[in-house]
Amino acid sequence: MSTLKERLSDGLYGAGWATVKKLPEPVATGLGRRIADFAWKRRGKSVLRLESNLARVVPDATPERLAELSQAGMRSYMRYWMESFRLPTWSKERVERSIDIKGRHHLEDGLAAGRGVILALPHLANWDLAGVWVTRSLGVPFTTVAERLKPESLYDRFVAYRESLGMEVLPHTGGSAFGTLARRLRAGGLICLVADRDLSASGTEVTFFGDTARMPAGPAILAQQTGALLLPVTLWYDDTPVMKGRIHPPVDVPESGTRAEKTSLMTQALADAFAAGIADHPEDWHMLQRLWLADLEEREGPGA
């Protein structure tokens, strides 16, 4: 059954990349909305988990408001996929028309100074579009890390897709990614990491919307070891076709404390920046998995 599901997933993603990018844009947009509404009405595990996560973000929301947010969230999520399937066909001019980033001077100044830069962002809006803006509009290549998916053919699709957009993609597993990222930063390069969820034992605990979650320690450790600039990024959609974004001021390395203490403080600062962006645009946070430790413990408890 697992193998069948993996093959089905690979086939669906393959069909998306092959077909959606050829559709007229209004047709693709309408298709994405219909798929989102169909999934939302089914009330599957992913939709219920999204609502549970949103209930932490908007604790005073009524059940009706949570339902509205989760439907908007599924539409935002499918907008991400419809755009991403079409990104390889977008010109530089089209990319520039489709995104508006504030605070870009933080990135440009860091790179101009020959200093490595780490962009850390949560699963908000379309992080792939933000990446294409960096590679095509700014003309800056960057390195990122991808979770190794099953089946292997699906992982290969994602790697090929992102490499076609100008990104260097490293596998999350295998142990060599961290060293490569550090070398890129010491050479004055750019890395981009989605950094709002870490379920490994090495994740750093943070307070996130009033409860404990784990987020990756990598961005903070890399900044400490290489002297790179650590910049949080938040993205969102509005009522226009243009995605908005903000590059926040740098997260500085504390002057005192152990490496673990510094990492904890810096990761908490990232979490706070992420939380501010998510609170402003909760419907654009595509977190359809468990995140908080209390939810993970509930899953791992008796009868799980």
Side-chain angles (χ1 to χ4, degrees):
M1 181 62 70
S2 177
T3 302
L4 179 61
K5 288 181 178 179
E6 291 171 1
R7 290 177 178 173
L8 179 60
S9 295
D10 182 43
L12 289 172
Y13 282 113
W17 269 301
T19 304
V20 172
K21 65 183 178 182
K22 298 178 182 178
L23 296 175
E25 188 158 340
V27 175
T29 300
L31 175 63
R33 177 162 289 211
R34 287 193 293 273
I35 293 173
D37 288 347
F38 175 77
W40 178 77
K41 290 176 182 177
R42 289 188 63 194
R43 309 290 293 165
K45 290 182 179 179
S46 294
V47 173
L48 295 177
R49 175 50 51 191
L50 176 61
E51 282 191 10
S52 177
N53 291 339
L54 289 171
R56 292 179 180 270
V57 175
V58 191
D60 58 347
T62 63
E64 293 77 15
R65 175 59 178 153
L66 282 177
E68 291 175 358
L69 282 173
S70 67
Q71 183 177 29
M74 292 303 296
R75 289 178 174 180
S76 174
Y77 187 46
M78 287 312 303
R79 175 174 171 178
Y80 160 79
W81 281 112
M82 293 297 110
E83 288 179 348
S84 294
F85 286 144
R86 299 168 66 82
L87 275 178
T89 68
W90 283 15
S91 65
K92 174 184 175 181
E93 292 73 23
R94 173 60 197 275
V95 171
E96 290 174 343
R97 293 197 310 269
S98 301
I99 188 168
D100 179 19
I101 300 291
K102 301 183 185 303
R104 56 187 288 175
H105 64 278
H106 294 301
L107 170 60
E108 293 169 331
D109 292 349
L111 293 173
R115 188 176 180 182
V117 176
I118 306 162
L119 296 181
L121 58 161
H123 288 81
L124 271 171
N126 192 336
W127 48 96
D128 282 333
L129 174 55
V132 174
W133 171 75
V134 169
T135 59
R136 293 188 182 171
S137 295
L138 299 186
V140 179
F142 68 84
T143 304
T144 189
V145 175
E147 180 181 358
R148 190 173 287 279
L149 304 171
K150 292 183 179 181
E152 192 74 15
S153 56
L154 180 56
Y155 171 76
D156 291 341
R157 284 186 192 275
F158 273 96
V159 171
Y161 157 69
R162 291 195 165 111
E163 288 181 342
S164 75
L165 301 177
M167 311 174 192
E168 179 188 24
V169 183
L170 307 176
H172 185 269
T173 56
S176 62
F178 188 91
T180 302
L181 294 174
R183 287 194 294 274
R184 299 291 183 270
L185 292 171
R186 290 192 178 101
L190 172 67
I191 68 170
C192 300
L193 302 171
V194 180
D196 58 344
R197 183 173 183 262
D198 190 335
L199 305 184
S200 71
S202 62
T204 297
E205 292 190 2
V206 297
T207 300
F208 196 56
F209 290 103
D211 208 344
T212 304
R214 274 198 296 262
M215 293 189 180
I221 294 175
L222 284 165
Q224 292 174 59
Q225 291 190 357
T226 67
L229 206 61
L230 176 56
L231 301 175
V233 180
T234 52
L235 306 167
W236 66 92
Y237 293 126
D238 55 19
D239 295 330
T240 74
V242 179
M243 184 178 75
K244 307 301 192 299
R246 180 187 176 199
I247 301 175
H248 297 251
V251 173
D252 294 326
V253 177
E255 294 182 359
S256 61
T258 65
R259 188 177 82 167
E261 290 169 342
K262 292 178 180 179
T263 299
S264 178
L265 290 172
M266 295 173 71
T267 307
Q268 184 63 60
L270 282 180
D272 293 342
F274 295 166
I278 293 167
D280 286 342
H281 305 278
E283 68 279 4
D284 290 324
W285 189 39
H286 306 152
M287 185 54 65
L288 281 67
Q289 302 86 21
R290 297 174 189 266
L291 175 69
W292 283 271
L293 298 192
D295 294 335
L296 295 171
E297 291 165 358
E298 174 186 313
R299 180 186 63 183
E300 296 165 359

